[in-house]
Amino acid sequence: MRITMIGSGYVGLVSGACFSDFGHDVICVDKDESKIAALEAGRMPIFEPGLDKLVAANVAAGRLSFTTDLKSAVAGADAVFIAVGTPSRRGDGHADLSYVFAATREIAEAVTGPTVVVTKSTVPVGTGDKVEEILAELAPDMDIAVVSNPEFLREGAAIGDFKRPDRIVIGTEDARAMQVMRDVYRPLYLNESPILFTGRRTAELIKYAANAFLATKITFINEIADLCEAVGANVQDVSRGIGLDNRIGSKFLHAGPGYGGSCFPKDTLALLKTAEDYETPVRIVEAVVQVNDNRKRAMGRKVIRALGGDGTTGAKGKTVAVLGLTFKPNTDDMRDAPSLAIVQSLLDAGVTVRGYDPEGMEPAKAMMPDVTYCNNAYEAATGADAVVIVTEWDVFRALDLKRLAGVMAAPVMVDLRNVYPPAEVERAGFAYSSIGR
Ligand code: UGA
């Protein structure tokens, strides 16, 4: 099969590389010339474990290539995937579809024969209908079916998620498109990954419902964690105690500083906008968005209290080492990372912030210029009045606690990811606080 992937960002690049690894011929397109040049030279624009090797192997096998020339990439393709960004629109939180529609118009001009246009970008309900209208208007003589095929991969585990998905959702009622999509996903089909065929609008909504549900699960356990702290219970045991119930499930019940990233914050907001437009409020998701927003700054206040302040004042002149800046481990993505709000509230309180992250320091420097960036956890902690674990990178899971305490001005640790057993940290001389324990 010949597959064209428009947009070589996270989803486009991972999907394109994985499709080529299935044996398809894939061309990844992007407008950004420097990105395409870098990819051609074997340099990845994002940090994703295993992606560089996967790309190199498939480029070498002649199945994967990169171009800025959309027109030639689209001509003759069996399937054209749209995997461009759908950021939150400034001002109102709706998903910004301008890149999706611009790509659609370019596809209409480039298409030469029957094809299937597949939206992989996360797009609000009804976007497929609009894509279809644009194609019908600009390429009226072409046989083009429009399919929704949302992506459920997680950053940091994207290749595994793509190759061993819990399910594949395909929104189309067109028989030819169904067959093309079956062929596209044939290797997974043979692996017995469930393929769910639905209406196109349903597929679009499944994506938002899945992310909103997961964001709700996290926010639920975060509030239960606060309650645990108030009543003297342990949230990790609560998570285990409820998660063993198959109806609840144990995943996504890790209490922490609030969810971040490029998906949950933007997709929950976009779902609220859709619900508002259709006058069908989703109050639970409204509460989730608000609770999660408040939580990030509340984490800043928690750190200030650990420094002896009252939550907003009383920490002036102190120094804090922030370990982990990205929104989660194994990515260099800083989008909506809890560290951004936490660091800002510390700076607002007059605290000096030193930071270290294994992969995220370059993007972090641009977003948080007032932080002193260090080369490792111990350097960051040197002279600090507290260390805060914000992101649970593996390198922070087995710190030499005695050594860490030894370089600090005062041995105080705030562990926002519950990485350590409290007794172990306290034995090393730390005043230790964590989440919901
Ligand atoms: C999320 C979904 O998990 C993917 O299925 C989806 O495809 C993707 O969004 C998307 O829409 O593209 P991702 O944003 O990469 O993936 O990261 P997650 O692993 O879901 O984590 C999101 C946030 O929730 C992180 O800040 C993480 O620290 C937090 N989290 C996650 C918790 O605080 N507790 C948990 O138990 C799980």
XYZ file of all heavy atoms in Angstrom, residues 10-11 48 120 122 150-158 161 167 207 210-211 214-215 217-219 221-222 250-267 292 296 326-329 331 333 335-338 390-392 416-417, ligand 1:
514
model
N 4.309 14.531 16.332
C 4.297 13.338 17.157
C 3.523 12.190 16.536
O 4.051 11.111 16.280
C 3.681 13.678 18.524
C 4.428 12.986 19.584
C 5.370 13.663 20.332
C 4.256 11.638 19.781
C 6.112 13.009 21.263
C 4.994 10.977 20.708
C 5.916 11.666 21.454
O 6.656 10.995 22.366
N 2.239 12.458 16.296
C 1.358 11.390 15.818
C 1.745 10.974 14.403
O 1.846 9.787 14.092
C -0.115 11.864 15.878
C -1.031 10.895 15.140
C -0.557 11.999 17.331
N 11.507 10.358 21.476
C 10.560 9.259 21.721
C 11.364 7.963 21.669
O 11.988 7.665 20.644
C 9.463 9.266 20.656
C 8.450 8.127 20.783
C 7.625 8.190 22.071
O 7.298 9.297 22.533
O 7.329 7.117 22.626
N -6.391 11.619 11.434
C -5.785 11.036 12.630
C -5.613 12.108 13.701
O -5.552 11.810 14.889
C -4.430 10.405 12.288
C -4.281 9.093 13.044
C -3.083 8.320 12.655
C -3.289 6.827 12.735
N -4.268 6.328 13.683
N -6.657 14.827 16.341
C -7.831 14.846 17.210
C -8.722 16.012 16.802
O -8.325 17.170 16.916
C -7.379 14.991 18.675
O -6.575 13.859 18.987
C -8.566 15.053 19.614
N -9.016 7.905 14.997
C -8.295 8.563 16.092
C -7.133 7.721 16.617
O -7.135 6.498 16.499
C -9.368 8.731 17.173
C -10.440 7.762 16.836
C -10.407 7.598 15.348
N -6.173 8.425 17.223
C -4.949 7.785 17.711
C -4.967 7.772 19.236
O -5.352 8.751 19.855
C -3.758 8.598 17.186
C -2.453 7.936 17.401
C -2.519 6.468 17.035
O -2.684 6.159 15.861
O -2.427 5.623 17.948
N -4.542 6.666 19.832
C -4.585 6.565 21.292
C -3.193 6.376 21.897
O -3.051 5.895 23.006
C -5.496 5.403 21.712
C -6.910 5.560 21.217
C -7.373 4.827 20.129
C -7.764 6.478 21.810
C -8.672 4.990 19.652
C -9.065 6.652 21.343
C -9.527 5.906 20.256
N -2.138 6.708 21.137
C -0.803 6.448 21.667
C -0.386 7.470 22.713
O -0.817 8.622 22.700
C 0.224 6.360 20.537
C 0.306 7.461 19.492
C 1.113 8.625 20.011
C 0.937 6.892 18.244
N 0.428 6.979 23.662
C 0.955 7.852 24.718
C 2.381 8.247 24.387
O 3.163 7.398 23.933
C 1.009 7.106 26.066
C -0.311 6.842 26.706
C -0.139 5.769 27.768
N 0.425 4.557 27.168
C 0.949 3.557 27.852
N 1.015 3.608 29.175
N 1.447 2.490 27.241
N 2.722 9.489 24.623
C 4.111 9.909 24.457
C 4.980 9.064 25.390
O 4.570 8.731 26.495
C 4.264 11.396 24.785
C 3.572 12.261 23.768
C 3.843 13.752 23.971
O 4.786 14.106 24.698
O 3.096 14.538 23.384
N 6.162 8.730 24.930
C 7.077 7.952 25.763
C 6.865 6.453 25.595
O 7.732 5.656 25.915
N 5.680 6.065 25.127
C 5.391 4.636 24.920
C 4.691 4.473 23.582
O 3.938 3.531 23.355
C 4.505 4.113 26.052
N 4.950 5.437 22.685
C 4.132 5.576 21.484
C 4.251 4.386 20.525
O 3.251 3.928 19.975
C 4.506 6.872 20.768
N 2.460 1.383 21.937
C 1.006 1.610 21.884
C 0.488 1.444 20.459
O -0.604 0.929 20.236
C 0.656 3.028 22.379
C 0.717 3.137 23.893
O 0.914 2.097 24.555
O 0.565 4.257 24.412
N -7.250 -1.147 21.025
C -8.255 -1.205 19.952
C -7.889 -0.204 18.867
O -7.119 0.735 19.095
C -9.666 -0.928 20.480
C -10.065 0.526 20.724
C -9.140 1.275 21.605
N -9.747 2.408 22.275
C -9.066 3.224 23.077
N -7.755 3.057 23.252
N -9.656 4.223 23.677
N -12.636 9.480 20.701
C -11.325 10.026 21.084
C -11.449 10.992 22.269
O -10.718 10.891 23.252
C -10.711 10.733 19.871
C -9.481 11.532 20.153
C -8.313 10.645 20.532
C -7.161 11.497 21.035
N -5.958 10.722 21.252
N -12.590 9.200 25.475
C -11.513 8.414 26.103
C -10.590 9.333 26.903
O -10.298 9.070 28.075
C -10.724 7.661 25.032
N -10.146 10.423 26.276
C -9.224 11.306 26.997
C -9.909 11.981 28.195
O -9.302 12.139 29.250
C -8.637 12.352 26.044
C -7.391 11.824 25.339
O -6.996 10.676 25.551
N -6.777 12.650 24.508
N -10.104 9.425 31.033
C -8.813 9.212 31.703
C -8.439 10.421 32.560
O -7.933 10.261 33.681
C -7.724 8.934 30.660
C -7.879 7.610 29.898
C -6.913 7.535 28.725
C -7.674 6.423 30.846
N -8.713 11.621 32.045
C -8.437 12.840 32.826
C -9.305 12.856 34.088
O -8.871 13.297 35.159
C -8.704 14.079 31.969
N -10.412 10.153 35.664
C -9.905 9.129 36.577
C -8.735 9.689 37.406
O -8.680 9.529 38.622
C -9.445 7.924 35.737
C -9.606 6.603 36.426
C -9.308 5.425 35.501
C -9.209 4.164 36.350
N -8.764 2.996 35.592
N -7.819 10.390 36.708
C -6.663 10.972 37.403
C -7.129 12.022 38.408
O -6.671 12.063 39.555
C -5.697 11.632 36.382
C -5.127 10.586 35.432
C -4.575 12.372 37.088
C -4.430 11.190 34.207
N -8.046 12.869 37.968
C -8.490 13.962 38.841
C -9.244 13.410 40.044
O -9.133 13.927 41.166
C -9.364 14.941 38.028
O -8.617 15.322 36.877
C -9.713 16.183 38.832
N -8.674 10.520 41.566
C -7.739 9.979 42.567
C -6.930 11.114 43.198
O -6.553 11.028 44.371
C -6.836 8.865 41.971
C -6.311 7.944 43.081
C -5.666 9.419 41.168
C -7.362 7.154 43.800
N -6.708 12.199 42.446
C -6.009 13.341 43.043
C -6.834 13.954 44.180
O -6.296 14.321 45.226
C -5.706 14.402 41.979
C -4.526 14.002 41.103
O -3.740 13.132 41.465
N -4.394 14.636 39.947
N -6.826 -0.822 37.412
C -5.773 -0.216 38.240
C -5.016 0.908 37.545
O -4.279 1.653 38.183
C -4.788 -1.302 38.655
O -4.260 -1.902 37.491
N -5.186 1.066 36.225
C -4.373 2.066 35.524
C -4.925 3.480 35.693
O -6.118 3.662 35.887
C -4.305 1.716 34.044
C -3.507 0.442 33.829
C -3.394 0.099 32.382
C -2.557 -1.164 32.234
N -2.783 -1.793 30.956
N -4.026 4.450 35.570
C -4.402 5.865 35.669
C -5.025 6.213 37.014
O -5.928 7.031 37.108
C -5.290 6.285 34.480
C -4.456 6.646 33.287
C -3.659 5.687 32.674
C -4.409 7.948 32.795
C -2.834 6.004 31.616
C -3.585 8.281 31.734
C -2.801 7.304 31.133
N -4.519 5.553 38.056
C -4.956 5.882 39.414
C -3.752 6.313 40.257
O -3.735 6.112 41.458
C -5.652 4.679 40.054
C -7.085 4.404 39.582
C -7.649 3.163 40.261
C -8.012 5.602 39.841
N -2.718 6.881 39.591
C -1.569 7.391 40.345
C -1.813 8.861 40.662
O -1.882 9.683 39.747
C -0.275 7.254 39.547
C 0.037 5.837 39.196
N 0.406 4.916 40.146
C -0.015 5.164 38.030
C 0.578 3.737 39.570
N 0.327 3.860 38.290
N -1.934 9.148 41.947
C -2.131 10.548 42.338
C -0.856 11.323 42.062
O 0.243 10.777 42.133
C -2.497 10.609 43.814
N -0.988 12.581 41.710
C 0.186 13.391 41.392
C -0.143 14.867 41.371
O -1.141 15.302 41.963
N 0.684 15.638 40.666
C 0.513 17.095 40.673
C -0.543 17.591 39.692
O -0.652 18.796 39.474
C 1.903 17.588 40.266
C 2.444 16.502 39.402
C 1.897 15.214 39.951
N -1.291 16.704 39.088
C -2.286 17.125 38.080
C -1.794 16.716 36.707
O -0.592 16.679 36.455
N -2.741 16.396 35.808
C -2.319 15.974 34.471
C -1.880 17.177 33.640
O -2.342 18.294 33.836
C -3.440 15.206 33.751
C -4.713 16.002 33.522
C -4.802 16.928 32.499
C -5.830 15.819 34.323
C -5.956 17.662 32.273
C -6.995 16.538 34.113
C -7.066 17.459 33.086
O -8.198 18.183 32.883
N -0.954 16.909 32.710
C -0.519 17.944 31.773
C -0.374 17.329 30.402
O -0.998 16.306 30.104
N 0.463 17.938 29.563
C 0.728 17.365 28.249
C -0.031 18.039 27.135
O -0.775 18.990 27.343
N 0.172 17.494 25.950
C -0.382 18.142 24.765
C -1.798 17.669 24.476
O -2.427 18.146 23.543
C 0.500 17.822 23.560
O 0.481 16.425 23.338
N -2.315 16.727 25.257
C -3.609 16.131 24.899
C -4.711 16.382 25.919
O -5.730 16.992 25.591
C -3.440 14.641 24.688
S -2.211 14.297 23.430
N -4.555 15.892 27.145
C -5.667 15.993 28.102
C -6.134 17.436 28.308
O -7.337 17.701 28.235
C -5.285 15.360 29.449
C -5.180 13.855 29.435
C -4.629 13.178 30.506
C -5.638 13.113 28.358
C -4.530 11.792 30.511
C -5.543 11.723 28.332
C -4.988 11.071 29.423
N -5.224 18.397 28.562
C -5.714 19.764 28.801
C -6.476 20.319 27.591
O -7.565 20.886 27.738
C -4.432 20.562 29.075
C -3.465 19.536 29.591
C -3.774 18.290 28.813
N -5.928 20.104 26.395
C -6.569 20.676 25.197
C -7.845 19.917 24.835
O -8.847 20.516 24.456
C -5.529 20.675 24.075
C -5.947 20.180 22.734
C -4.796 20.228 21.761
C -4.384 18.858 21.239
N -5.375 18.087 20.522
N -7.820 18.607 24.970
C -8.983 17.822 24.538
C -10.169 17.948 25.505
O -11.319 17.938 25.074
C -8.597 16.346 24.353
C -7.614 16.158 23.195
O -7.433 17.113 22.411
O -7.029 15.063 23.079
N -8.225 20.377 38.046
C -6.844 20.142 37.610
C -6.057 21.445 37.485
O -4.893 21.507 37.865
C -6.830 19.373 36.286
C -5.449 18.836 35.960
O -4.920 17.979 36.660
N -4.846 19.383 34.916
N -2.426 22.536 40.085
C -1.018 22.787 39.768
C -0.440 23.882 40.652
O 0.649 23.732 41.206
C -0.882 23.119 38.282
C -1.238 21.913 37.405
C -1.064 22.212 35.937
C -1.566 21.059 35.090
N -1.582 21.401 33.665
N 9.470 17.988 32.420
C 8.523 17.600 31.375
C 7.216 17.109 32.004
O 7.183 16.757 33.181
C 9.116 16.458 30.523
O 9.570 15.430 31.408
C 10.281 16.955 29.695
N 6.142 17.031 31.206
C 4.834 16.702 31.812
C 4.749 15.258 32.278
O 3.912 14.908 33.087
C 3.687 17.056 30.856
C 3.376 16.041 29.791
C 2.355 15.123 29.971
C 4.084 16.015 28.601
C 2.050 14.184 28.994
C 3.796 15.073 27.624
C 2.782 14.159 27.822
N 5.651 14.427 31.767
C 5.786 13.055 32.254
C 7.144 12.546 31.795
O 7.821 13.208 30.997
C 4.642 12.183 31.735
C 4.650 11.967 30.238
C 3.562 10.970 29.904
C 3.745 10.416 28.534
N 2.762 9.412 28.209
N 7.588 11.370 32.265
C 8.913 10.883 31.879
C 8.957 10.419 30.423
O 7.916 10.202 29.798
C 9.142 9.673 32.794
C 8.052 9.687 33.795
C 6.927 10.483 33.240
N 9.857 11.821 27.660
C 9.485 12.745 26.599
C 10.262 14.039 26.848
O 10.748 14.255 27.960
C 7.958 13.016 26.601
O 7.648 13.983 25.613
C 7.463 13.543 27.943
N 8.627 16.805 26.072
C 7.476 17.689 25.884
C 7.182 18.480 27.161
O 7.009 17.904 28.238
C 6.268 16.828 25.504
C 5.174 17.620 24.818
O 5.121 18.854 25.023
O 4.375 17.014 24.084
N 4.676 20.837 27.150
C 3.362 21.483 26.998
C 2.464 21.221 28.212
O 2.277 20.088 28.617
C 2.698 21.018 25.706
C 3.313 21.689 24.487
C 2.718 21.187 23.214
N 3.208 19.858 22.893
C 2.832 19.164 21.804
N 1.952 19.694 20.966
N 3.330 17.972 21.565
N 1.955 22.300 28.785
C 1.075 22.218 29.957
C 1.656 21.370 31.090
O 0.916 20.734 31.846
C -0.320 21.695 29.573
C -1.239 22.837 29.169
O -1.320 23.823 29.919
O -1.853 22.750 28.090
N 2.969 21.338 31.194
C 3.595 20.555 32.272
C 3.272 21.193 33.624
O 3.316 22.423 33.753
C 5.109 20.506 32.074
N 2.939 20.372 34.640
C 2.695 20.939 35.972
C 3.873 21.775 36.474
O 3.687 22.737 37.215
C 2.492 19.701 36.856
C 1.982 18.649 35.921
C 2.671 18.925 34.599
N 8.981 16.466 40.566
C 7.766 16.825 39.824
C 7.457 15.775 38.759
O 6.299 15.504 38.463
C 7.887 18.234 39.187
C 6.647 18.588 38.389
C 8.110 19.279 40.277
N 8.495 15.185 38.157
C 8.281 14.176 37.109
C 9.073 12.925 37.478
O 10.264 13.019 37.816
C 8.764 14.716 35.745
O 8.259 16.038 35.586
C 8.265 13.847 34.600
N 8.421 11.775 37.379
C 9.002 10.531 37.909
C 9.942 9.840 36.922
O 9.794 8.657 36.611
C 7.882 9.590 38.387
C 6.975 9.003 37.304
C 5.864 9.898 36.797
O 6.034 11.124 36.755
O 4.811 9.360 36.389
N 6.116 14.742 44.624
C 4.775 14.906 44.065
C 4.333 13.696 43.250
O 3.239 13.697 42.684
C 4.708 16.178 43.212
C 5.003 17.493 43.945
C 4.917 18.682 42.991
C 4.048 17.696 45.112
N 5.198 12.665 43.135
C 4.825 11.460 42.385
C 4.884 10.202 43.251
O 4.804 9.094 42.705
C 5.757 11.283 41.181
C 5.736 12.424 40.190
C 4.468 12.425 39.347
N 4.535 13.468 38.329
C 3.662 13.575 37.329
N 2.645 12.753 37.230
N 3.788 14.538 36.454
C -2.761 10.715 26.437
C -3.528 9.382 26.409
O -3.070 8.533 27.461
C -3.334 8.674 25.068
O -4.127 7.496 25.018
C -3.766 9.630 23.947
O -3.552 9.059 22.664
C -2.954 10.904 24.031
O -3.165 11.513 25.328
C -3.415 11.819 22.930
O -4.583 12.246 22.954
O -2.673 12.014 21.971
P -0.196 11.410 26.857
O -0.700 12.806 26.918
O 1.000 11.101 26.040
O -1.368 10.414 26.340
O 0.191 10.986 28.337
P -0.454 10.145 29.547
O 0.430 9.021 29.847
O -1.882 9.853 29.323
O -0.314 11.200 30.732
C -1.038 12.433 30.726
C -0.864 13.151 32.043
O -1.552 12.467 33.085
C 0.586 13.269 32.511
O 0.784 14.568 33.025
C 0.712 12.216 33.571
O 1.691 12.497 34.527
C -0.680 12.270 34.178
N -1.061 11.016 34.873
C -1.263 9.871 34.169
C -1.251 11.021 36.257
O -1.075 12.070 36.923
N -1.641 9.872 36.881
C -1.849 8.714 36.188
O -2.219 7.707 36.830
C -1.647 8.715 34.806
